Amino acid sequence: MSQHYRITLLPGDGIGPEIMAVTVQLLQQIAPSFDLSFDLSEALIGGAAIDATGTPLPEETLEQCRRSDAVLLASIGGYKWDTLPRHQRPETGLLGLRAGLDLFANLRPATILPQLIDASSLKREIVEGVDIMVVRELTGGIYFGQPKGLFETETGIKRGVNTMAYTESEIDRIAKVAFDTAGKRGGKLCSVDKANVLEVSQLWRDRVTALASEYPDVELSHLYVDNAAMQLVRSPKQFDTIVTGNLFGDILSDAAAMLTGSIGMLPSASLGASGPGVFEPVHGSAPDIAGQDKANPLAQVLSAAMMLRYAFNCVDAATAIEQAVQTVLDRGYRTGDIMSEGCQLVGCQQMGEVLLQAIVDLNSSET
Ligand SMILES: NC(=O)c1ccc[n+]([C@@H]2O[C@H](COP(=O)([O-])OP(=O)(O)OC[C@H]3O[C@@H](n4cnc5c(N)ncnc54)[C@H](O)[C@@H]3O)[C@@H](O)[C@H]2O)c1
Ligand SMILES: CC(C)[C@H](C(=O)O)[C@@H](O)C(=O)O
Ligand SMILES: [Mg+2]
């Protein structure tokens, strides 16, 4: 009997619909080979939802996501909605989705594929072999802490306020995910904070340190975030697993993306203690290239592979997608963001077509 999964698709804005279309074709193509069947249904989020319904996360979208086995999200946002009040912006919809599904753990792997070493802006000896997992706390910290808002002093001066706050239990649950993740990888965990300045970071460091005794096989280290940013670029191979808060994780994962050649290569999984996860590229809606068939769909495609692995435990199907990505890169196909000399420049759609061909070829070489 085939395994059946309900997946909510959230194409969102900008390049979102373009990279989602490629990914959906790929999922449909691989399903029969692995005895899988998918019920794929789209819902609105972000700017597309604002335009259609006036709100960036309609209640029906959240409900549909809750009823799904997994959610595949592309990207939200764009210039058109940047001047709306905060609560009406596309980004608020994304944060509402993460909070609404209690997705506190965001796994962002940054792995350099051998074919893309030349596309990295750093030297071969620095990036070759990089394989880092950033575990980013996703539903707390300065993104959600109270008080927040735009206030006015008695003398009428505007004051913008956000609060970086973590409770012990919020730190413990993300730290446990990170220790477990590190234990299954290279056994090294680096916790990144700003404990030399921030109270919230001192609590973070104290809790992570206290938990370390429960994970004797994991070697724990700590770095301040400014140094961590520098070390990521100077000597990224020193890192195996990184755990950090919401804002630092947002910034460090974009920096880590450039080790791999392009942010168009970085997938992610946003997971809670139970319920459906959201699988989404690390990048945004790339409004500068939207609608031009220039987007790299591989981060979205690799996010679908993470969904197959983490949400459905379909390791073979996930591996097939990852192999297809390697095959198209071996064959020299590149979107503009990862282009190097001697390779063939393709658009988003054509990258989708060569991926489908790679799956056909993989299947026929196995039969
Ligand atoms: N998860 C999300 O949906 C998400 C993540 C980040 C930013 N955003 C939103 O996206 C909008 C644009 O933000 P930004 O410009 O700061 O970041 P961005 O990630 O959208 O783009 C940064 C740069 O990377 C390029 N890029 C990104 N993805 C690419 C891809 N797949 N292929 C090729 N090039 C790619 C873009 O063209 C741009 O030059 C904003 O509204 C922001 O809030 C959404
Ligand atoms: C769009 C924005 C809310 C989001 C974040 O800051 O988490 C994005 O940058 C990301 O990395 O997923
Ligand atoms: Mg980001």
Side-chain angles (χ1 to χ4, degrees), residues 76 91-92 94-95 98 106 108 136 138 143 246 250 253-254 280-283:
I76 55 87
E91 290 77 3
T92 306
L94 177 57
L95 299 184
R98 291 170 179 170
N106 184 213
R108 298 189 155 187
R136 170 190 178 194
L138 201 60
Y143 279 56
N246 207 341
D250 180 43
S253 56
D254 264 36
E280 49 176 324
V282 167
H283 63 71

Side-chain angles (χ1 to χ4, degrees), residues 306-321:
M306 288 187 90
M307 173 182 76
L308 292 165
R309 179 172 281 115
Y310 286 88
F312 308 153
N313 202 20
C314 300
V315 178
D316 292 350
T319 307
I321 290 191

Side-chain angles (χ1 to χ4, degrees), residues 18 42 52 58 69 99 106 147 161 216 219 248 279 313-314 317 347:
E18 302 169 49
E42 276 192 21
D69 298 307
N106 184 213
V161 176
E219 182 194 319
F248 300 157
F279 299 84
N313 202 20
C314 300

Side-chain angles (χ1 to χ4, degrees), residues 332-337 339 343-347 350:
Y333 297 110
R334 302 283 189 275
T335 45
D337 58 316
M339 185 61 189
C343 293
Q344 185 179 338
L345 183 65
V346 292
Q350 199 186 342

Side-chain angles (χ1 to χ4, degrees), residues 73-328:
L73 167 72
S75 52
I76 55 87
Y79 313 131
K80 183 179 168 191
W81 305 283
D82 280 350
T83 50
L84 288 173
R86 173 82 42 211
H87 68 280
Q88 289 173 12
R89 288 204 203 161
E91 290 77 3
T92 306
L94 177 57
L95 299 184
L97 179 72
R98 291 170 179 170
L101 298 177
D102 205 10
L103 305 173
F104 66 91
N106 184 213
L107 309 186
R108 298 189 155 187
T111 309
I112 180 111
L113 299 177
Q115 302 88 340
L116 294 185
I117 287 175
D118 291 342
S120 170
S121 33
L122 297 175
K123 285 192 207 133
R124 169 178 287 270
E125 55 270 29
I126 293 181
V127 293
E128 196 165 28
V130 160
D131 178 9
I132 301 171
M133 178 68 87
V134 178
V135 180
R136 170 190 178 194
E137 200 290 327
L138 201 60
T139 51
I142 198 164
Y143 279 56
F144 292 92
Q146 292 292 348
K148 67 172 167 188
L150 193 55
F151 302 95
E152 219 168 276
T153 65
E154 280 169 10
T155 53
I157 294 171
K158 284 200 177 118
R159 189 159 174 267
V161 176
N162 290 89
T163 303
M164 190 184 277
Y166 275 115
T167 61
E168 287 180 312
S169 57
E170 284 175 321
I171 300 167
D172 287 5
R173 66 178 184 170
I174 190 69
K176 285 176 186 167
V177 170
F179 276 111
D180 284 335
T181 304
K184 290 181 200 142
R185 289 172 41 91
K188 281 190 347 179
L189 178 63
C190 178
S191 175
V192 174
D193 60 38
K194 189 74 185 171
N196 50 344
V197 176
L198 304 175
E199 285 317 315
V200 56
S201 279
Q202 189 60 56
L203 182 65
W204 178 283
R205 191 174 280 221
D206 292 347
R207 287 310 310 163
V208 174
T209 305
L211 283 167
S213 59
E214 293 175 30
Y215 301 88
D217 297 337
V218 176
E219 182 194 319
L220 175 66
S221 62
H222 302 272
L223 280 182
Y224 300 132
V225 63
D226 43 356
N227 186 16
M230 188 268 280
Q231 297 294 341
L232 256 184
V233 182
R234 190 186 73 89
S235 170
K237 278 185 266 188
Q238 68 185 285
F239 295 107
D240 167 34
T241 306
I242 292 175
V243 63
T244 190
N246 207 341
L247 181 62
F248 300 157
D250 180 43
I251 298 166
L252 292 181
S253 56
D254 264 36
M258 280 322 292
L259 306 170
T260 74
S262 165
I263 195 157
M265 295 302 300
L266 239 68
S268 89
S270 304
L271 307 171
S274 60
V278 172
F279 299 84
E280 49 176 324
V282 167
H283 63 71
S285 59
D288 53 335
I289 56 166
Q292 300 170 40
D293 194 33
K294 286 184 179 163
N296 181 349
L298 297 181
Q300 181 76 70
V301 162
L302 292 169
S303 300
M306 288 187 90
M307 173 182 76
L308 292 165
R309 179 172 281 115
Y310 286 88
F312 308 153
N313 202 20
C314 300
V315 178
D316 292 350
T319 307
I321 290 191
E322 288 156 1
Q323 276 178 352
V325 169
Q326 297 259 2
T327 302
V328 298

